[in-house]
């Protein structure tokens, strides 16, 4: 692909080859991909100085991060070039004060990674994590959209959001803050029955309040086979709510066994076990701020058991 035209708004869906001028740029792009941060390589040149009506000097930042509306210029370790870059950058900022640009030294972006607690370039890696499937900023944006949609659809009503514990923790907290209506919340805990029959669910914690005549929205972290949700919806329908709908952050449609209607879906994801943003593997990884996949060899080393966190 031609230099300057490269774009990877969603690296998981559309990986495109890019010819980088330096290997440090390629490292940085891989780092951004790893964290699911959208980037464009050298998308724009900014004129810095004109002579006889022609551009005599221009500045072309290495990256543009659209999520952050930020240009990034990477520096090499050679002091001579760093000094020249600082000069260009000062001129740039005088001429384009409204544009955000950040100069990153190699050591800066290595520590940037370490800040997140893990990564292939960092010293402290979280064992088991393969890659980020949905970044924190993608989650934030999509949940904002869902909240806005709920606010429109439930206008004039006061929905009761029912969260299914425990994976829904992060989603519920973020979602309700994007709903501009009075809402009530309640929680249920259910467990897959791990006996010979399989598939059956038990209610471990029931709702605190009756739902008869209420507009109920079940909030789920992830729908996999659909069996848990199916059983739950049957149970709730018996209690005669005014309406009963479902909002699921993740839809692993490829694995569906029972066809459950999902009214609101955050993301459709491939058939891979995911963790983070509330989702766990044996109670671990819930506190990651993004959704990530696990390394298959790591999963296998956990005893080749089917992952069934709750
Ligand atoms: P289902 O009955 O197969 O749809 O299972 C749904 C439940 O299984 C979810 O509420 C999760 O608790 C759990 N689950 C399914 N897939 C995953 C995953 O990829 N990561 C973490 N938990 C999962
Ligand atoms: Mg769950």
């Amino acid at each position: 692909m031609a230099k300057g035209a490269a774009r990877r708004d969603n690296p998981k869906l559309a990986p495109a080859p890019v010819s980088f001028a330096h290997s440090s740029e390629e490292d940085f792009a891989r780092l951004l991909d790893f964290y699911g941060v959208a980037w464009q390589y050298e998308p724009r040149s900014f004129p810095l100085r004109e002579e006889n009506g022609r551009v005599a000097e221009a500045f072309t930042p290495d990256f543009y991060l659209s999520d952050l509306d930020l240009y990034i210029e990477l520096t090499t370790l050679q002091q001579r070039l760093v000094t020249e870059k600082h000069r260009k950058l000062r001129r740039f900022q005088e001429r384009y004060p409204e544009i955000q640009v950040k100069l990153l030294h190699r050591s800066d972006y290595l520590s940037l990674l370490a800040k997140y607690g893990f990564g292939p370039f960092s010293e402290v890696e979280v064992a088991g994590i393969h890659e980020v499937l949905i970044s924190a900023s993608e989650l934030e944006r999509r949940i904002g959209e869902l909240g806005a949609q709920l606010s429109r659809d439930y206008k004039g009503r006061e929905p009761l959001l029912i969260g299914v514990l425990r994976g829904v923790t992060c989603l519920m907290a973020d979602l309700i803050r994007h709903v501009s209506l009075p809402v009530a919340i309640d929680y249920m805990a259910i467990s897959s029955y791990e006996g010979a029959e399989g598939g059956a669910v038990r209610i471990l914690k029931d709702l605190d309040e009756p739902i008869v005549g209420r507009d109920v929205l079940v909030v789920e972290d992830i729908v996999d086979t659909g069996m848990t949700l199916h059983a739950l919806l049957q149970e709730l329908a018996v209690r005669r709510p005014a309406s009963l709908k479902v909002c699921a952050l993740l839809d692993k449609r490829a694995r569906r066994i029972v066809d459950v209607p999902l009214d609101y879906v955050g993301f459709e994801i491939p058939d891979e076990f995911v963790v983070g943003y509330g989702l766990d593997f044996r109670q671990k990884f819930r506190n990651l701020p993004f959704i990530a996949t696990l390394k298959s060899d790591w999963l296998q080393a956990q005893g080749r058991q089917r992952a069934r966190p709750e």
Side-chain angles (χ1 to χ4, degrees):
M1 183 175 277
K3 200 172 155 185
R7 188 184 171 88
R8 250 179 232 191
D9 273 335
N10 190 333
K12 302 306 174 300
L13 300 179
V18 183
S19 43
F20 292 101
H22 300 283
S23 65
S24 61
E25 294 169 352
E26 188 167 357
D27 284 347
F28 187 62
R30 280 201 287 141
L31 186 156
L32 294 170
D33 279 350
F34 185 84
Y35 284 104
V37 176
W39 56 268
Q40 290 171 258
Y41 181 61
E42 297 189 342
R44 189 173 163 190
S45 279
F46 297 88
L48 292 184
R49 188 165 51 84
E50 282 87 9
E51 266 168 30
N52 307 323
R54 297 182 58 191
V55 176
E57 190 184 18
F59 176 55
T60 309
D62 296 317
F63 289 89
Y64 176 62
L65 313 184
S66 52
D67 287 343
L68 311 174
D69 191 19
L70 174 69
Y71 285 88
I72 297 283
E73 176 67 6
L74 298 182
T75 62
T76 63
L77 296 174
Q78 289 165 270
Q79 195 50 48
R80 186 179 55 82
L81 297 175
V82 173
T83 311
E84 165 66 10
K85 248 177 203 165
H86 278 124
R87 187 195 63 79
K88 264 196 167 184
L89 206 72
R90 268 198 306 278
R91 196 179 265 271
F92 173 83
Q93 281 168 332
E94 280 161 23
R95 206 158 165 179
Y96 304 95
E98 74 286 359
I99 294 184
Q100 287 195 82
V101 63
K102 198 171 158 63
L103 196 63
L104 269 195
H105 298 269
R106 193 176 155 75
S107 58
D108 286 340
Y109 66 76
L110 290 178
S111 64
L112 204 116
L113 250 187
K115 201 180 94 183
Y116 284 91
F118 77 96
F121 305 90
S122 137
E123 316 262 302
V124 267
E125 189 172 323
V126 172
I129 295 298
H130 172 53
E131 65 171 359
V132 176
L133 189 66
I134 306 170
S135 70
S137 62
E138 284 177 290
L139 285 167
E140 198 182 309
R141 185 168 44 209
R142 184 70 188 120
I143 289 162
E145 286 171 3
L146 288 174
Q149 199 182 337
L150 291 172
S151 309
R152 286 193 298 274
D153 294 357
Y154 284 89
K155 195 169 180 191
R157 293 183 282 166
E158 190 172 332
L160 170 65
L161 274 52
I162 297 182
V164 184
L165 293 171
R166 287 171 254 182
V168 80
T169 306
C170 299
L171 174 63
M172 186 68 110
D174 286 343
L175 183 64
I176 58 172
R177 281 178 282 182
H178 285 100
V179 178
S180 54
L181 299 169
V183 292
I185 56 172
D186 205 342
Y187 290 98
M188 276 181 109
I190 48 186
S191 172
S192 311
Y193 181 59
E194 310 249 338
E197 301 96 312
V201 298
R202 284 186 297 137
I203 295 179
L204 300 177
K205 181 219 169 286
D206 207 336
L207 299 171
D208 290 335
E209 289 170 46
I211 60 168
V212 58
R214 313 272 320 251
D215 289 303
V216 170
L217 180 72
V218 174
V219 183
E220 259 281 32
D221 49 0
I222 184 167
V223 182
D224 185 20
T225 65
M227 298 206 278
T228 312
L229 188 59
H230 176 74
L232 179 67
L233 289 175
Q234 278 191 325
E235 170 65 34
L236 294 177
V238 170
R239 305 183 191 187
R240 301 265 169 255
S243 66
L244 182 57
K245 291 195 169 179
V246 179
C247 174
L249 180 65
L250 306 176
D251 181 4
K252 228 194 259 182
R253 193 156 294 176
R255 286 177 47 92
R256 199 61 41 79
I257 293 173
V258 185
D259 191 26
V260 278
L262 302 182
D263 304 278
Y264 303 91
V265 173
F267 302 88
E268 223 180 280
I269 62 163
D271 180 13
E272 277 184 86
F273 196 82
V274 292
V275 294
Y277 196 70
L279 289 155
D280 73 313
F281 174 74
R282 298 185 187 159
Q283 301 306 326
K284 280 172 84 172
F285 307 114
R286 290 197 199 273
N287 55 330
L288 293 176
F290 40 70
I291 305 272
T293 53
L294 294 175
K295 285 182 182 145
S296 52
D297 53 348
W298 183 87
L299 259 178
Q300 272 162 23
Q302 301 301 302
R304 295 174 187 276
Q305 291 174 17
R306 190 189 171 313
R308 249 309 151 189
E310 283 168 352

